[in-house]
Amino acid sequence: MGIPAWVWFTVAAVAGVAGFALLATDRAQRTARNRERRRWAALRGWQFEETDHVLPTRWEAGAIAYYGTGLARDVVAGSTFTADGRRQVYVLDHETGGKVNSVLVGVRCRRALSVVIELWLSTVPFQRDDDKKPMPDMLGPVGSRYAFVTDVPAARKIITPDLIDAAEEIGGDVTVVWMENDWVLAAAPPNSSPARLERLLRDVGELADVIDPFDPDPSEREEPVAEEDEGGEVYRPSFGRKQP
């Protein structure tokens, strides 16, 4: 004797209700996060954008290489002061495949590095098989993280004790910190609170100060980043436009 049709109907109905409940919960969480991020941006006098498809294309390493380019949700753009002056910042939910995998925090430097440096927690399965975005060369332990770099000799000059100390302050909830071109970025867990993101911005800013000091020795300077107005503010938000 087969299973009665009403049993299958009941199972389908329960599954449908469960799916709807999960969708409603996810939407409620996204709405709450959107309001929280928008309110935080307003308090700081920063700009807010719900979605940006272009912004993640600025970067290719770290969490972007691991998860994919995706898109940016609940984006905050502004500038903040560090010990070495004002720096441009971004905070965004990095979404791929319809799922937010991390909150990215980025602080911009005044000059670009000639090497990409990724600092991964040892507990994270950081290897990736994408031929277009292969894993950089492994340099070795850097504090509690492992360093992967695109140029080992150049990276050794940059990874100083001060950089290691600054990276250690970032916290064990941040899976990867990476330096790419004129940016220092970190990937925090989804749903990180504004208070946590404030601390992370401060810590990433300190790391930016280490690799991009206000008045470095001229012999140690990296290639300057082109600016439209020399001496002006670093912060120039440009939602939807990829900068060089």
Side-chain angles (χ1 to χ4, degrees), residues 88-156:
Q88 180 183 357
V89 301
Y90 277 116
V91 177
L92 59 103
D93 287 350
H94 181 216
E95 179 181 301
T96 54
K99 179 182 178 182
V100 174
N101 54 68
S102 59
V103 181
L104 300 187
V105 168
V107 176
R108 196 175 191 184
C109 301
R110 297 178 183 84
R111 55 189 61 82
L113 295 180
S114 59
V115 58
V116 173
I117 300 174
E118 300 183 10
L119 303 177
W120 287 88
L121 288 177
S122 60
T123 55
V124 177
F126 41 71
Q127 292 292 341
R128 50 186 183 257
D129 300 323
D130 190 341
D131 293 335
K132 295 181 180 180
K133 297 179 180 179
M135 200 73 186
D137 296 329
M138 183 174 177
L139 180 62
V142 173
S144 60
R145 299 176 181 271
Y146 279 92
F148 294 84
V149 303
T150 55
D151 185 327
V152 172
R156 289 188 187 279

Side-chain angles (χ1 to χ4, degrees), residues 106-213:
V107 176
R108 196 175 191 184
C109 301
R110 297 178 183 84
R111 55 189 61 82
L113 295 180
S114 59
V115 58
V116 173
I117 300 174
E118 300 183 10
L119 303 177
W120 287 88
L121 288 177
S122 60
T123 55
V124 177
F126 41 71
Q127 292 292 341
R128 50 186 183 257
D129 300 323
D130 190 341
D131 293 335
K132 295 181 180 180
K133 297 179 180 179
M135 200 73 186
D137 296 329
M138 183 174 177
L139 180 62
V142 173
S144 60
R145 299 176 181 271
Y146 279 92
F148 294 84
V149 303
T150 55
D151 185 327
V152 172
R156 289 188 187 279
K157 297 178 181 179
I158 297 170
I159 300 177
T160 62
D162 287 342
L163 183 144
I164 296 173
D165 290 343
E168 288 294 280
E169 292 296 322
I170 286 178
D173 60 333
V174 174
T175 55
V176 60
V177 181
W178 79 98
M179 286 138 272
E180 179 180 357
N181 295 324
D182 54 334
W183 287 89
V184 181
L185 302 108
N191 300 320
S192 294
S193 68
R196 174 64 183 110
L197 296 176
E198 287 275 7
R199 295 195 304 273
L200 185 55
L201 274 172
R202 182 174 62 250
D203 293 338
V204 174
E206 291 178 0
L207 187 54
D209 286 345
V210 171
I211 65 172
D212 179 41

